[in-house]
């Protein structure tokens, strides 16, 4: 039995997140289906985490167990030839049997991009939130500093969450601007359902003056959105 580690990139536009679901196309479902076809055995990949519907990934980590001894280069080439154009395996390597994509993960990073422009770019539009009014990066970063640390993020998640423990540790959270592209980068030990989207929306509300930069403190205490 071999354990193989995969790094996967995907455009999540047409998928209901990573985790397999009944009656919905997911990244895990696509990988399981095509891997099972290539390796001629039932394959179930184990992902480092879940991603929400519509979320994209540049380096999503997962692993699988299989009996086949196909060389990794041929395995990678063959798998990518079967996968749809919006999903690609960018790396594959054999790992120890005790490796686990989820439990051995050191951290997870999301980058949420905002096009701060009144110009529509058809090559960028599917991957950004376009906001025409000028954003206050300084205020957004004031808010982001209050997110860093170990907090109960219940108030920064949606009702669709499936976990009881809503405490997470955020090691970095900041906003940077490169021309018209504003990016919020956040790294944590894990994320709740819609947590990143809600944090970004709150940062924009802070920029617009609708919320105080220290509003997260109240959210952590009250657990209210």
């Amino acid at each position: 039995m071999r354990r193989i580690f995969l790094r996967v990139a995907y455009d999540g536009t047409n998928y209901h997140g990573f985790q397999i679901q009944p009656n919905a196309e997911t990244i895990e479902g696509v990988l399981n289906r095509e891997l099972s076809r290539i390796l001629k055995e039932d394959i179930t990949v184990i992902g480092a985490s879940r991603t929400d519907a519509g979320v994209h990934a540049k380096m999503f980590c997962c692993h699988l167990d299989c009996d086949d001894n196909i060389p990794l280069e041929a395995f990678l080439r063959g798998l990518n030839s079967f996968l749809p154009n919006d999903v690609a395996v960018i790396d594959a390597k054999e790992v120890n049997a005790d490796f686990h994509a989820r439990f051995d993960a050191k951290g997870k990073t999301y980058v949420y991009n905002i096009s701060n422009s009144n110009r529509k770019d058809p090559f960028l539009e599917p991957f950004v939130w376009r906001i025409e009014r000028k954003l206050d990066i300084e205020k957004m970063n004031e808010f982001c500093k209050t997110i860093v640390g170990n907090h109960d993020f219940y108030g920064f998640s949606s009702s669709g969450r499936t976990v009881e423990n809503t405490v997470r540790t955020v090691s970095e959270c900041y906003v940077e601007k490169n021309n018209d592209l504003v990016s919020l980068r956040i790294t944590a030990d894990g994320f709740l359902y819609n947590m990143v989207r809600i944090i970004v929306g709150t940062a924009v509300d802070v920029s617009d003056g609708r919320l105080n930069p220290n509003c997260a403190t109240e959210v952590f205490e009250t657990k209210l959105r």
Side-chain angles (χ1 to χ4, degrees):
M1 180 70 70
R2 304 167 77 194
R3 179 155 293 187
I4 299 176
F5 167 83
L6 303 178
R7 278 202 288 261
V8 185
Y10 55 85
D11 174 350
T13 302
N14 297 319
Y15 300 92
H16 292 262
F18 177 82
Q19 189 177 36
I20 200 164
Q21 298 180 38
N23 305 316
E25 186 77 316
T26 67
I27 300 298
E28 182 183 5
V30 169
L31 289 172
N32 287 349
R33 183 172 63 240
E34 300 309 330
L35 282 163
S36 298
R37 177 154 60 140
I38 292 170
L39 298 173
K40 296 180 174 55
E41 57 179 300
D42 289 335
I43 299 295
T44 300
V45 297
I46 306 297
S49 65
R50 306 169 183 176
T51 55
D52 296 342
V55 172
H56 318 293
K58 281 192 171 183
M59 194 173 66
F60 187 93
C61 299
C62 55
H63 77 264
L64 64 107
D65 292 327
C66 68
D67 292 320
D68 202 294
N69 290 317
I70 182 172
L72 286 177
E73 185 176 344
F75 166 81
L76 186 61
R77 186 169 60 251
L79 177 56
N80 278 320
S81 70
F82 281 97
L83 290 172
N85 290 333
D86 50 8
V87 181
V89 176
I90 57 178
D91 188 25
K93 63 181 179 180
E94 198 160 343
V95 292
N96 293 332
D98 61 352
F99 171 85
H100 198 284
R102 178 183 174 190
F103 299 127
D104 289 336
K106 303 299 184 184
K108 300 157 189 177
T109 298
Y110 275 80
V111 178
Y112 197 109
N113 292 317
I114 299 171
S115 176
N116 198 196
S117 171
N118 59 6
R119 296 186 299 275
K120 186 176 181 180
D121 183 340
F123 296 101
L124 193 62
E125 205 72 13
F127 306 104
V128 297
W129 175 15
R130 187 158 59 89
I131 299 176
E132 296 188 8
R133 61 190 181 279
K134 185 178 179 180
L135 293 174
D136 189 324
I137 307 302
E138 186 174 342
K139 280 187 177 180
M140 294 174 78
N141 272 318
E142 282 185 56
F143 162 74
C144 286
K145 288 178 183 177
T146 67
I147 291 294
V148 175
N150 183 258
H151 305 290
D152 188 338
F153 283 90
Y154 184 95
F156 284 100
S157 63
S158 292
S159 58
R161 76 186 79 80
T162 57
V163 295
E164 293 185 8
N165 181 13
T166 53
V167 175
R168 297 291 184 272
T169 300
V170 174
S171 56
E172 71 171 2
C173 183
Y174 63 88
V175 175
E176 57 186 0
K177 190 173 188 295
N178 183 14
N179 296 321
D180 291 333
L181 190 67
V182 173
S183 301
L184 187 148
R185 182 184 181 94
I186 180 168
T187 299
D189 57 356
F191 295 92
L192 303 173
Y193 182 53
N194 281 344
M195 176 174 158
V196 174
R197 289 171 176 169
I198 294 168
I199 287 173
V200 172
T202 306
V204 171
D205 282 344
V206 168
S207 169
D208 291 343
R210 290 193 290 271
L211 290 174
N212 185 286
N214 293 317
C215 63
T217 303
E218 183 179 353
V219 176
F220 293 144
E221 292 175 355
T222 65
K223 297 186 179 182
L224 298 176
R225 279 283 294 274

